[in-house]
Amino acid sequence: MIGKFLKKKWKSYLIGIIFLVFIDYLQILVPKYVGNVVNLVIKPPVDMNTIFNYVILIVIIAIGVVVGRFMWRMFIMGSARKFQVYAQQTLFDKFLSSPISFLDKHSVGNLMAYYTNDVQAVSQMLSQGVIMTVDAIAMAIFVFAGMLMVVDYRLVLITLIPLPFVALSSWYFGGKIHMRFKKVQNDFSFISERAQESFSNVKTIKSYGVEDKFNALFKQSCDQFADDNFLLLRISAVYGPLISFLAALTTAIAIFLGGQMVISGTVNLGDFVAFISYLGMLTGPFVEVGQIINVLQMGRASQERIESLMKNPDRNDEGLEFPGKFQTLEIKHLNFSYDGKKTLNNIDFNIKAGQKVAIIGKIGSGKTTLVKLMTKLYEVENGSIFYNGIDINDINAKSLRDNVLLVPQESFLFSTKISKNVAFGLKEFAEDDVEDASKVAHFHEEVVKFDYKYETLVGERGVTLSGGQRQRLSLSRGIFKNAQVIILDDVLSAVDSQTATLILEDIGKTLKDMTTIVITHNIASVKNSDVIFVMDDGKIVESGTHDELMRLNGLYHRLFMIQQIEREIGN
């Protein structure tokens, strides 16, 4: 990710670095001019014109530094801000382009940690990290060069004594910081995941009265995060002062030996003043080494996390367009395993255009997995699923889903108007089309009861609607899409049996050319289907019309009779 960004923005960084280096060069001129002024002052007669010229030069340098700092901040830090936008957009695209299997393994809270903290750490590396690294290297080179111009080289060599210790400390502490910051970021991901989970299910938590338990779990996660942060802080707390101590030790030695040289007349006072000024400027790069290591190692740790995430393969969007008007769906010897557990076993069936199909079965029998495979949400082996005789793996995923629509059991509703929730994904749409779709889903009669009708705002996740209303809104959305094949994955579970039957009958009458596949536990609502497939333990154990299945006296008959008895007891 960083490589791609720098290919586009390397010129901005180069210009910023040039300004930064130029400013460092200007700054090392000031001690030399100050030293010259001191030498002029201590040796009468005092040449005020020359001193005034040096003052003017120092003022010009100060102005140049101000302008130069503005420029490098704009180019380097501005580019880092653009990286932040680029990285967040790239991650967002990655999340949307990833297969469902990827999203199954990463919670929303975990992904948000990448999107915020990790991107911020890498951005810091590309701004403060670059600035401090270039500044420390350039300033050190210029300062040593300036020292060599004003004092004996032996005194300059003394200032190099701490460098091996600085390098050794940086190598040792850098590795520690890298590992511990990575642990801290993982802890933050877990906290984000736990917080998101709790906030999303706060009603359930309150209903069961387990607030104290969730508070304790969250506190445990926060305590672990604090402990790991403390370990990271402890390393930084040792490393930073250690570098400062080495810098102070160098200054003390240099002042002691340099002072003796001034007393002995080897070095004049003005040059010694310039040398001390240079030494003060050299302390900055020494101290910055500690900050550089912190920023770079933290940035590297987050970069590794992001790059690891980006290596996950995208879903395959290549392939043919959907093969014209839907005619047949064939499934041949379909097998599927999820996380090593076999979910579907040797599924075989055919569906023809215009048919009203139902798939029923006990919970966990594989119904939802089957329809997810039919819409290419998970990958299957070649030769397993065919649309109009074309292998599903050869069909473009977007084109397939434009024609074969899965309305999931729990559709997410957005915090916007009812009309925009129905016309999901469209900026412009006809209100009449929204109403027509809602009427088929028997949702229109509910909407007109609201004060603002289709302009009514739906709360987050549809919190202002009842369970049945949310499901009918989701169904309206699916009908509005007007796909050739619509798959309803238990979308009427919160609707009573009589209403569910009426809705499915209206869909059949209104959308005669549409092929419908209904997954449900409510057998009474689908007994008029053209064909019913009965699933059990990942297999299709029975198929036929309602009457044919009842005559078989098998699983379908048993499930139907149980529901009949439950309905009579309920009445």
Side-chain angles (χ1 to χ4, degrees), residues 242-262:
L242 176 62
I243 298 298
S244 297
F245 169 74
L246 292 173
L249 184 62
T250 303
T251 303
I253 294 171
I255 289 175
F256 177 74
L257 296 177
Q260 289 183 332
M261 290 181 177
V262 172

Side-chain angles (χ1 to χ4, degrees), residues 214-447:
F214 272 79
N215 272 330
L217 288 171
F218 190 73
K219 183 179 182 301
Q220 183 181 350
S221 301
C222 290
D223 287 344
Q224 182 64 50
F225 179 64
D227 290 343
D228 288 332
N229 255 309
F230 178 75
L231 291 174
L232 176 63
L233 177 63
R234 191 165 65 182
I235 289 194
S236 299
V238 172
Y239 180 53
L242 176 62
I243 298 298
S244 297
F245 169 74
L246 292 173
L249 184 62
T250 303
T251 303
I253 294 171
I255 289 175
F256 177 74
L257 296 177
Q260 289 183 332
M261 290 181 177
V262 172
I263 294 171
S264 65
T266 308
V267 175
N268 60 47
L269 182 60
D271 290 343
F272 182 68
V273 169
F275 173 73
I276 295 301
S277 298
Y278 282 131
L279 204 56
M281 297 174 75
L282 189 62
T283 302
F286 267 94
V287 175
E288 277 185 351
V289 169
Q291 298 173 344
I292 290 168
I293 294 299
N294 278 333
V295 172
L296 293 184
Q297 291 298 342
M298 290 177 182
R300 275 190 58 229
S302 287
Q303 180 192 353
E304 287 178 5
R305 279 169 46 87
I306 292 173
E307 293 296 343
S308 177
L309 189 76
M310 294 296 293
K311 287 179 182 177
N312 287 282
D314 293 340
R315 68 170 185 265
N316 184 8
D317 284 336
E318 298 179 355
L320 306 170
E321 292 296 307
F322 190 82
K325 188 174 182 181
F326 172 75
Q327 297 172 355
T328 60
L329 165 61
E330 299 174 79
I331 297 183
K332 301 179 180 179
H333 310 299
L334 174 62
N335 296 285
F336 183 74
S337 297
Y338 184 75
D339 283 346
K341 181 182 178 182
K342 197 159 191 177
T343 309
L344 299 178
N345 187 10
N346 201 31
I347 302 290
D348 281 279
F349 65 76
N350 293 338
I351 295 175
K352 296 179 181 177
Q355 282 189 317
K356 311 305 173 188
V357 179
I359 302 175
I360 68 164
K362 294 182 287 187
I363 294 173
S365 59
K367 305 182 298 297
T368 296
T369 301
L370 175 60
V371 295
K372 284 183 177 179
L373 296 179
M374 289 160 56
T375 50
K376 211 174 180 179
L377 292 177
Y378 294 102
E379 293 184 0
V380 297
E381 295 181 358
N382 290 329
S384 300
I385 302 178
F386 299 86
Y387 284 94
N388 295 356
I390 305 297
D391 194 307
I392 191 173
N393 292 317
D394 296 330
I395 302 174
N396 175 279
K398 184 180 183 306
S399 178
L400 173 71
R401 292 168 197 158
D402 284 341
N403 290 275
V404 182
L405 177 67
L406 170 62
V407 182
Q409 187 173 357
E410 295 184 6
S411 286
F412 190 95
L413 302 183
F414 296 86
S415 300
T416 185
K417 299 175 184 177
I418 288 177
S419 59
K420 289 187 176 180
N421 266 287
V422 174
F424 176 60
L426 297 178
K427 290 184 178 180
E428 298 181 1
F429 52 88
E431 295 289 345
D432 290 344
D433 292 340
V434 170
E435 289 189 20
D436 290 343
S438 300
K439 287 176 181 177
V440 176
H442 285 227
F443 182 53
H444 178 72
E445 54 264 36
E446 299 287 337
V447 177

Side-chain angles (χ1 to χ4, degrees), residues 83-120:
F83 169 80
Q84 198 166 345
V85 174
Y86 165 78
Q88 289 176 334
Q89 185 62 58
T90 301
L91 281 173
F92 190 78
D93 291 342
K94 177 66 180 178
F95 300 157
L96 292 184
S97 64
S98 295
I100 295 296
S101 56
F102 166 82
L103 300 174
D104 287 342
K105 297 173 183 176
H106 295 84
S107 68
V108 174
N110 179 260
L111 295 177
M112 285 304 297
Y114 285 96
Y115 197 77
T116 53
N117 263 31
D118 285 307
V119 169
Q120 179 66 29

Side-chain angles (χ1 to χ4, degrees), residues 196-224:
Q196 185 271 332
E197 214 172 50
S198 301
F199 296 155
S200 298
N201 297 283
V202 66
K203 289 184 179 179
T204 305
I205 292 170
K206 287 181 175 293
S207 298
Y208 281 83
V210 290
E211 294 96 332
D212 291 342
K213 183 178 179 180
F214 272 79
N215 272 330
L217 288 171
F218 190 73
K219 183 179 182 301
Q220 183 181 350
S221 301
C222 290
D223 287 344
Q224 182 64 50

Side-chain angles (χ1 to χ4, degrees), residues 1 37 144 166 173 177 192 198 257 262 299 305 331 409 422 429 448 454 477 512 564:
M1 182 185 293
V37 170
F144 280 122
V166 172
F173 286 101
I177 291 170
S192 299
S198 301
L257 296 177
V262 172
R305 279 169 46 87
I331 297 183
Q409 187 173 357
V422 174
F429 52 88
V448 295
Y454 284 93
R477 178 191 290 170
K512 294 180 181 179
Q564 286 291 95

